[in-house]
C-alpha cells in the first residue's frame, strides 16, 4: 500500500489560489476500477482509494506516513508563473489607445 503526498493545483475555472496551500496524502489504487454491466457505474473493491488526508505542511504529511509505516512518494508542486500586465484590467478600456481595438 503506497501513498502519494502532493499539493493540489488550483481549479482551472478560477483564478484564485483557494485550497492549494495544504498538502494531501492519498493512497494509490491497488486494483483497477470496473464498470458494472447492468447500471454502468464505476466501482472498485479497494477501500483505501477513498481516503484523502489533509495536512498543514509537507513535513507533517511525511511524518504521519513514516509513523504509520506507509510507503510514500512526494510530488513537488510546479511554481505558478504570474501573469501581471502593466495596465492591468483598466488597459481594456483605455482612451489613449493608438490602434483600433475591437472584439
Amino acid at each position: 500500500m503506497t501513498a502519494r503526498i502532493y499539493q493540489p493545483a488550483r481549479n482551472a475555472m478560477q483564478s484564485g489560489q483557494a485550497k492549494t496551500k495544504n498538502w494531501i496524502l492519498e493512497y494509490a489504487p491497488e486494483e483497477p476500477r470496473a464498470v458494472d454491466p447492468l447500471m454502468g457505474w464505476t466501482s472498485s473493491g479497494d477501500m483505501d482509494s477513498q481516503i484523502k488526508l489533509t495536512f498543514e505542511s509537507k513535513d507533517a504529511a511525511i511524518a504521519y506516513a513514516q509513523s504509520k509505516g506507509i510507503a510514500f512518494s512526494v510530488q513537488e508542486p510546479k511554481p505558478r508563473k504570474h501573469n501581471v500586465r502593466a495596465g492591468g484590467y483598466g488597459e481594456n478600456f483605455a482612451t489613449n489607445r493608438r490602434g483600433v481595438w475591437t472584439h
Side-chain angles (χ1 to χ4, degrees), residues 31-34 43-50:
E31 63 181 54
R33 296 183 180 266
S43 64
S44 175
D46 183 19
M47 299 304 286
D48 288 337
S49 65
Q50 298 178 9

Side-chain angles (χ1 to χ4, degrees), residues 19-98:
K19 300 182 183 177
T20 60
K21 304 296 182 206
N22 292 333
W23 288 79
I24 294 178
L25 181 141
E26 68 179 6
Y27 292 101
E30 293 185 6
E31 63 181 54
R33 296 183 180 266
V35 177
D36 181 65
L38 179 63
M39 297 298 289
W41 294 341
T42 304
S43 64
S44 175
D46 183 19
M47 299 304 286
D48 288 337
S49 65
Q50 298 178 9
I51 298 173
K52 186 183 282 190
L53 301 173
T54 305
F55 296 93
E56 293 283 329
S57 67
K58 177 175 66 169
D59 297 331
I62 291 173
Y64 176 83
Q66 288 174 343
S67 69
K68 301 296 182 185
I70 302 169
F72 64 91
S73 65
V74 178
Q75 292 181 342
E76 295 292 334
K78 294 181 181 176
R80 179 177 180 230
K81 186 177 91 172
H82 295 282
N83 181 16
V84 179
R85 295 183 296 158
Y89 181 70
E91 181 66 26
N92 294 337
F93 308 101
T95 58
N96 59 355
R97 190 178 306 274
R98 290 198 174 114

